[in-house]
Amino acid sequence: MDRLLRFMKETAEVVEKRLEIILPFADLRPENLHEAMRYSVLGGGKRFRPLLTLAAYAAAGGQAANRPQ
């Protein structure tokens, strides 16, 4: 169970960092759209699908070093 919890925490951190990088800043035009995008995507509790995707990747032989940074 500790291994699963550690995987979940690490995956959430990786996904969160990557989303911060790829989403446009809220102060870029059109500000309303970018602010709404960041609000909806970066809200908590939305990391289960990425976790499942990365778990399937690992189960299929993907290496942790190849996970999104």
Side-chain angles (χ1 to χ4, degrees), residues 14-64:
V14 167
V15 170
E16 196 72 28
K17 287 178 186 176
R18 187 64 182 151
L19 288 172
E20 283 285 347
I21 292 170
I22 63 174
L23 285 171
F25 292 108
D27 60 352
L28 293 175
R29 295 191 72 182
E31 295 92 347
N32 290 343
L33 174 62
H34 292 156
E35 184 178 352
M37 288 169 57
R38 294 182 71 82
Y39 177 81
S40 64
V41 172
L42 296 176
K46 298 182 181 180
R47 302 297 172 257
F48 194 66
R49 287 184 189 140
L51 180 129
L52 290 177
T53 302
L54 291 174
Y57 172 75
Q63 300 297 313

Side-chain angles (χ1 to χ4, degrees), residues 1-19 47-48 50-55 58 63-69:
M1 189 60 130
D2 289 336
R3 187 174 173 199
L4 174 62
L5 293 175
R6 187 177 66 234
F7 175 76
M8 290 173 67
K9 182 179 179 200
E10 290 172 359
T11 300
E13 289 173 1
V14 167
V15 170
E16 196 72 28
K17 287 178 186 176
R18 187 64 182 151
L19 288 172
R47 302 297 172 257
F48 194 66
L51 180 129
L52 290 177
T53 302
L54 291 174
Q63 300 297 313
N66 295 330
R67 288 190 344 198
Q69 300 297 322

